[in-house]
Amino acid sequence: MTGDVTVTGFGVRTAFGTGADALRRGVFAGIPSFAPTTRFDTGPYRTPMAGAAPDGPDAVEGWALRHALARCGTEALAMADLPQGTDAAVLLGIAGDCTSITRYWREAAGRPGAEGSGGGAADHGSAASRRTVTNGQRESAPQGPTRDVSRGGPGGVVGRRTEVGGLTEPGLVHAPRSDAAVAAARLAQAGGLAGPGQGHALGIDPALAAAARLADAVPAHLAESLAGGLGLTGPRLTFTNACVASAAAIIHACRLISSGRIDAAVCAGGYLVEEETFGKFDSGRALSRDGMVRPFSADRTGLLLGDGVAAVVLESAEHARRRGARPLASVVGWGAATDAHHIAQPHPEGVGLARAARQALRLAGDPDGSSLGYVNAHGTGTKYNDGAETRGLRAAFPERAESIPVSSTKSTTGHLLEAAGVVEFVITLLALTDGVLPPTAGLTQADPECDLDYVPNEPRRADLRRALTVNAAFGGANTALVLERP
């Protein structure tokens, strides 16, 4: 590779706020974003902690993914100076907006927090169901029955890709156009996903309003919505392969651009902390017990979820030159591999991750990784991931593994699920352009299985030419991307 794929713009949002400066203040300073979330009732769960943005002026309307994706996409196009009407592909890594599913079941059951019930979107239930928060942990188990938040959700889908065709009619319920479709149209005119009570204000039956909002749970619908809102006319693809989804979208765009099939693409991904997925990770006992994420540290206890949405503009180098665009970085290598070891655990030797990284390095013309100055690790802070990832990186470039700084930015942002690949792509790009390595926050105790240079707790200055970012997902999927400074 000689820099055929160029990055010309990006937009990003995390719990720290919107834009690159928010990442610099949080991720690059090594400041964790975790706090008790008030977005929903956390009483039934083992921890209330998440890397979720607080309410306020920078909040996303109704915590709807479509709004956050549109904001990041608009910022990416503005930075790239790519006009509406451009024949650019839109590739999205996402699992859909599960908030609409939770709201639908609440409204169907007439539960607190449902539209028109008088409860808010974050109804906190009775005092009997609450528990005291101490250092991010609950002191006692909840009294009374806990609720099932898993039904109806698409979160278990792994390894599937949906090609978006002509999805133009929002709505999952088979109803005449005069019913749910009209409700969807009115909600769209009102700004998309309505908040509690808005259906009544628009003269829409609450059940139909809920059904119309369920369209946002369909990944393909969100890709259509994003492409239409950005005014881009190229092909649309949606990837739903869990935590590598948005990285897979970037890799596919690079393949299309480098082969000459397209000139430009907007690659995006998003996840906003919501109860559907939070409940599933809690039931799987994957969430950190002490309210912190400590990747590669011997005292790590698990992951925490976080808000993450980002979009990047990729172009062929020739296309960017013709229109006078300023290159931010080049994508010079990419790789994807599956080890199929276990549905939820990585191969203990990191076989798939090593294979993906070697693919990316070979494509970059550097099979030994001699030009790498930094690795942005997947680094979930879970028992199985961190040791396996360390061994995988050692296998990918055995002669250089100990001399290449590695860090996990999930220690500050939390796990961003389908958005992890694209947000960490932006973080890696900033590390290249700023010459600063983001630290692994919370690394307190050495783990004999994790014996690389993890940039503990404090940022580090570095003159970088190339950097690698890797991700892994349920089902054994692994991705790797090599970025180069212009």
Side-chain angles (χ1 to χ4, degrees):
M1 275 299 288
T2 57
D4 291 337
V5 181
T6 298
V7 187
T8 56
F10 65 84
V12 63
R13 175 186 177 81
T14 64
F16 298 110
T18 300
D21 285 343
L23 291 178
R24 293 183 179 109
R25 290 192 303 269
V27 172
F28 283 83
I31 300 172
S33 62
F34 311 118
T37 181
T38 59
R39 201 169 291 175
F40 50 86
D41 177 15
T42 58
Y45 307 120
R46 294 177 181 84
T47 180
M49 305 295 279
D55 293 322
D58 199 35
V60 175
E61 299 88 338
W63 300 111
L65 268 176
R66 67 162 67 195
H67 295 302
L69 288 166
R71 180 185 297 187
C72 289
T74 300
E75 290 172 356
L77 291 183
M79 186 182 294
D81 197 23
L82 200 68
Q84 287 202 358
T86 298
D87 185 22
V90 173
L91 296 94
L92 181 61
I94 206 160
D97 190 343
C98 293
T99 301
S100 60
I101 296 172
T102 308
R103 284 179 175 172
Y104 175 84
W105 286 113
R106 280 194 178 131
E107 290 171 17
R111 298 184 54 173
E115 182 169 348
S117 69
D123 184 85
H124 286 266
S126 66
S129 70
R130 298 175 190 168
R131 290 176 287 180
T132 303
V133 178
T134 305
N135 295 326
Q137 293 182 283
R138 298 293 191 174
E139 289 186 343
S140 60
Q143 302 299 313
T146 59
R147 61 174 175 265
D148 174 16
V149 297
S150 64
R151 54 180 175 168
V157 177
V158 175
R160 184 182 66 192
R161 187 184 77 188
T162 304
E163 182 165 357
V164 181
L167 182 62
T168 57
E169 184 68 53
L172 296 179
V173 177
H174 296 291
R177 180 165 178 78
S178 59
D179 296 332
V182 171
R186 290 182 187 175
L187 289 174
Q189 290 170 358
L193 191 67
Q198 190 169 342
H200 284 304
L202 296 171
I204 303 171
D205 182 272
L208 293 178
R213 285 198 303 270
L214 275 176
D216 279 357
V218 181
H221 174 79
L222 285 171
E224 279 291 304
S225 172
L226 178 63
L230 297 179
L232 302 178
T233 62
R236 293 91 189 261
L237 290 170
T238 303
F239 295 80
T240 61
N241 45 342
C243 305
V244 299
S246 56
I250 293 172
I251 288 171
H252 194 66
C254 289
R255 289 169 175 161
L256 293 175
I257 291 170
S258 66
S259 66
R261 294 171 64 186
I262 62 174
D263 289 323
V266 172
C267 300
Y271 173 73
L272 297 177
V273 175
E274 40 66 51
E275 191 172 10
E276 172 83 6
T277 305
F278 192 97
K280 289 175 180 176
F281 275 86
D282 179 79
S283 65
R285 299 179 182 271
L287 299 181
S288 169
R289 297 191 299 272
D290 61 5
M292 296 296 292
V293 180
R294 296 186 173 90
F296 307 112
S297 188
D299 59 348
R300 63 191 184 274
T301 64
L303 61 85
L304 292 172
L305 301 178
D307 284 351
V309 183
V312 296
V313 177
L314 305 180
E315 303 181 57
S316 70
E318 177 58 29
H319 186 265
R321 279 194 298 269
R322 282 201 310 265
R323 63 183 200 87
R326 181 176 71 90
L328 304 176
S330 297
V331 188
V332 295
W334 51 84
T338 303
D339 57 50
H341 167 73
H342 187 274
I343 187 61
Q345 296 174 13
H347 190 286
E349 298 301 316
V351 170
L353 185 140
R355 188 178 299 129
R358 284 195 294 264
Q359 286 178 23
L361 291 170
R362 282 197 301 269
L363 193 59
D366 182 19
D368 299 323
S370 60
S371 63
L372 284 183
Y374 169 64
V375 176
N376 185 283
H378 189 58
T380 59
T382 55
K383 174 184 176 182
Y384 293 104
N385 176 89
D386 296 358
E389 184 168 10
T390 297
R391 290 185 283 275
L393 293 175
R394 282 190 171 277
F397 28 83
E399 301 300 320
R400 291 217 55 221
E402 293 183 2
S403 64
I404 301 175
V406 176
S407 69
S408 169
T409 51
K410 290 181 179 68
S411 61
T412 55
T413 65
H415 199 335
L416 313 178
L417 303 184
E418 289 79 14
V422 66
V423 173
E424 289 163 13
F425 181 93
V426 173
I427 291 169
T428 305
L429 185 154
L430 290 175
L432 280 174
T433 56
D434 291 358
V436 178
L437 305 183
T440 302
L443 208 167
T444 57
Q445 299 182 26
D447 184 336
E449 290 191 342
C450 304
D451 54 358
L452 302 179
D453 176 7
Y454 299 114
V455 194
N457 300 309
E458 298 290 336
R460 183 185 301 172
R461 287 280 173 187
D463 184 16
L464 304 176
R465 177 179 167 237
R466 283 181 170 180
L468 171 71
T469 177
V470 294
N471 289 102
F474 284 176
N478 300 269
T479 57
L481 289 149
V482 179
L483 285 76
E484 181 176 275
R485 189 178 65 197

